[in-house]
């Protein structure tokens, strides 16, 4: 019987009996029993420790023990405990050296331990026990109460706890726990919070119960002596068993006689008997998953130990990751993995768990059928898996826009490289226009960043980077400003080749950046591109690092262009305003006058032609003075070929609608 060490208890007279109960429970007990108690003595619960008690009808002595779990909400404050039938109760066994009495067998029938109730089902016997107590005048009250109680998850029947003999892996055996904790520190956890989570779990985990009482599974290769009941786990028996399993499968444990697993002349180490029976327990299935590194990595010559990565949902810290670490540390003294990546679970657009009753389930097959596997892969890659991952048709539609943006960018690049053969046309770095050199440098910086994201499994950052590259850097800037050079300059002009040389690099890099995610699109683009140069027949036969050229990077130039691009933002806003007030139509109808004080003036003064291209206007003038940006209607006439407004349109009488620049381009083309 357990009492709380710090509650006040009393010895009281109840009619002709003496009772001990928690002081706080006197009023409620008096009311329930409709009696009045006379308190004789008061003391703390801990004073009752080790008081000996007599069983009400069996010849058995028991102890009063202390338990922090005793409550004073109801009852008497004195709780009957049964170490053979309850977890909390069992935890007191060691402290008080209690005998584990377990009078109920695995069928729910009382054993000989219950003496006159032996052989009876516990439900029917319970009623008889009540009668017995009443008869002996020990029963003060019998009534039913409602309380929570564990039930079988499968058949919903109430559970009876029984303390049974099991096989355990002792986590503190020969410093195993310490070894595992050390290995946890060496593993790379992605996200990094996995490290502390795993450590905290292993620090407090109990021994691992390895045995299960099921009809079928992977058997525990132990035998029992028929004569002295000794349980034997013998290395030779295990070796022989593993040989038999290799030949005939692990089911042979259940079909073959025990002799098949015994080495010649094997006898019980304790009593020398030669009669044995097989262990009937099977192994916890987690032990099998935990030992998978042995079966998979250590037997396949194409694989190596430890694994580069174990990848699972974040619930597996308690599961697979932990059950793999323990046997691996015990057997090979190392973690079975170099890194562990965990991800959240898929939830709907509002973050709710998917369920049939909510009707919010989206299956992968549905997405593939409707949008294709590229979109599904893009969704996976673009999700930040360190948290739960959302999916909804709105999210998918955004990804379809993403996909279109990338695909259209590739189409534009391919379209403008139709006549470009790198071995013939590619310009060297020093021959490039400055904006092209900047884009070359910028593209290689994007590529380096993306590769680093791939290395750290930050796929959603890859997606963000690629999308911004296509949408902001290319579509809204570089490809836009190049149109003039690509379409109006002579096909063989240095200016056009300069642009193409950089577009060529951008295309190569873009295809590679998307290849792991938009695999079919990348391969499709590669196939179109293939004929123009000596390349492998598949993008997947190329390496990422073939396109890393450190000398493309020019950080000074990138800095300079960060400034220019920020000026561009301001200028574009001004142009937009002029357009709104209908002073100009397209931006080519505008000319921009930039006025800068001395220092800025010297930075910009030679950039007029570059800025004209960058702003997509007909003219840029840079003057010294107070800082000011002016956008006004361009002077001159619109050239019918390049749509720029220029004062030299019609300079050649035979081409009255063509500007001087276009005239040169036409002449070159004719040559
Ligand atoms: Zn059940
Ligand atoms: Zn024996
Ligand atoms: Zn023109």
């Amino acid at each position: 019987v357990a009492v709380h060490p710090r509650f006040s208890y009393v010895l009281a007279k109840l009619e002709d009996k003496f009772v001990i109960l928690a002081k706080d429970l006197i009023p409620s007990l008096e009311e329930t029993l409709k009696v009045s108690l006379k308190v004789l003595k008061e003391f703390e619960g801990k004073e009752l420790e080790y008081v000996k008690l007599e069983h009400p009808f069996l010849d058995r002595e028991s102890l009063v023990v202390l338990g922090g779990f005793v409550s004073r909400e109801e009852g008497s404050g004195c709780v009957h405990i049964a170490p053979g039938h309850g977890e909390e109760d069992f935890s007191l066994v060691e402290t008080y050296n209690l005998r584990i009495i377990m009078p109920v067998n695995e069928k729910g029938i009382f054993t000989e331990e219950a003496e006159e109730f032996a052989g009876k089902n516990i439900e029917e016997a319970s009623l008889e026990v009540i009668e017995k107590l009443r008869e002996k005048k020990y029963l003060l009250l019998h009534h039913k109460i409602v309380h929570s109680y564990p039930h079988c998850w499968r058949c919903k029947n109430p559970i009876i706890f029984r303390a049974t003999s099991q096989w355990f892996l002792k986590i503190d055996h020969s410093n195993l726990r310490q070894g595992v904790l050390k290995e946890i520190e060496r593993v790379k956890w992605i996200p990094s919070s996995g490290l502390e989570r795993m450590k905290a779990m292993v620090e407090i985990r109990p021994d691992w119960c390895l045995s299960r009482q099921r009809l079928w599974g992977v058997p525990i290769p132990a035998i029992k002596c028929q004569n002295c009941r000794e349980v034997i786990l013998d290395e030779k028996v295990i070796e022989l068993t593993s040989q038999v399993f290799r030949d005939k499968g692990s089911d042979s444990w259940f079909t073959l006689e025990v002799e098949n697993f015994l080495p010649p002349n094997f006898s019980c180490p304790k009593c020398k008997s030669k009669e044995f029976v097989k262990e009937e327990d099977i192994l916890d299935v987690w032990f099998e998953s935990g030992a998978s590194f042995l079966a998979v990595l250590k037997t396949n010559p194409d694989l190596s130990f430890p694994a580069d990565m174990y990848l699972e949902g974040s619930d597996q810290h308690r599961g697979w990751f932990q059950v793999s670490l323990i046997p691996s540390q015990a057997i090979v003294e190392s973690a079975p993995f170099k890194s562990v990546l965990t991800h959240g679970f898929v939830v709907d657009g509002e973050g709710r768990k998917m369920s049939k009753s909510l009707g919010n389930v989206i299956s992968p097959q549905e997405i593939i059928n409707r949008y294709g596997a590229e979109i599904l892969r893009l969704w996976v890659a673009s999700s930040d898996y360190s948290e739960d991952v959302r999916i909804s048709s709105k999210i998918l539609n955004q990804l379809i826009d993403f996909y279109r943006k990338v695909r259209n960018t590739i189409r534009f690049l391919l379209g403008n490289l139709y006549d470009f053969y790198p071995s013939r046309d590619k310009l060297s770095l020093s021959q490039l226009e400055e904006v092209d050199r900047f884009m070359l440098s910028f593209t290689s910086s994007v590529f380096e960043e993306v590769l680093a994201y791939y290395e750290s499994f930050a796929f959603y950052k890859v997606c963000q980077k690629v999308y911004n590259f296509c949408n902001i850097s290319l579509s809204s800037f570089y490809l836009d400003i190049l149109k003039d050079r690509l379409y109006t300059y002579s096909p063989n002009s240095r200016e056009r080749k300069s642009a193409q040389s950089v577009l060529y690099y951008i295309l190569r890099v873009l295809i590679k950046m998307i290849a792991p995610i938009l695999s079919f699109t990348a391969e499709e683009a590669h196939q179109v591109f293939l004929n123009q140069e000596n390349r492998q027949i598949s993008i997947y036969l190329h390496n990422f690092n073939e396109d890393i050229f450190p000398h493309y990077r020019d950080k000074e130039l990138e800095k300079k262009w960060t400034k220019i691009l920020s000026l561009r933002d301001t200028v574009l806003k001004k142009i937009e305003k002029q357009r709104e007030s209908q002073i100009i139509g397209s931006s080519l109808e505008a000319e921009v006058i930039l006025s800068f004080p001395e220092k800025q003036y010297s930075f910009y003064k030679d950039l007029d032609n570059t800025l004209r291209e960058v702003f997509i206007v007909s003219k840029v003038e840079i003057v010294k003075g107070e800082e000011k940006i002016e956008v006004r209607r361009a002077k001159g006439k619109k050239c019918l070929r390049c749509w720029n407004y220029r004062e030299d349109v019609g300079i050649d009488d035979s081409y009255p609608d063509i500007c001087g620049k276009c005239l040169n381009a036409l002449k070159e083309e004719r040559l």
Side-chain angles (χ1 to χ4, degrees), residues 151-157 159:
H151 284 64
C152 170
W153 61 269
R154 204 163 157 187
C155 67
K156 317 290 177 212
N157 279 316
I159 280 167

Side-chain angles (χ1 to χ4, degrees), residues 580-599:
E580 274 165 19
S581 45
Q582 293 181 333
I583 290 166
I584 54 165
S586 83
S587 68
L588 279 175
E589 286 172 30
E591 70 173 46
V592 177
I593 296 116
L594 299 169
S595 165
F596 291 117
E598 184 64 45
K599 212 176 136 199

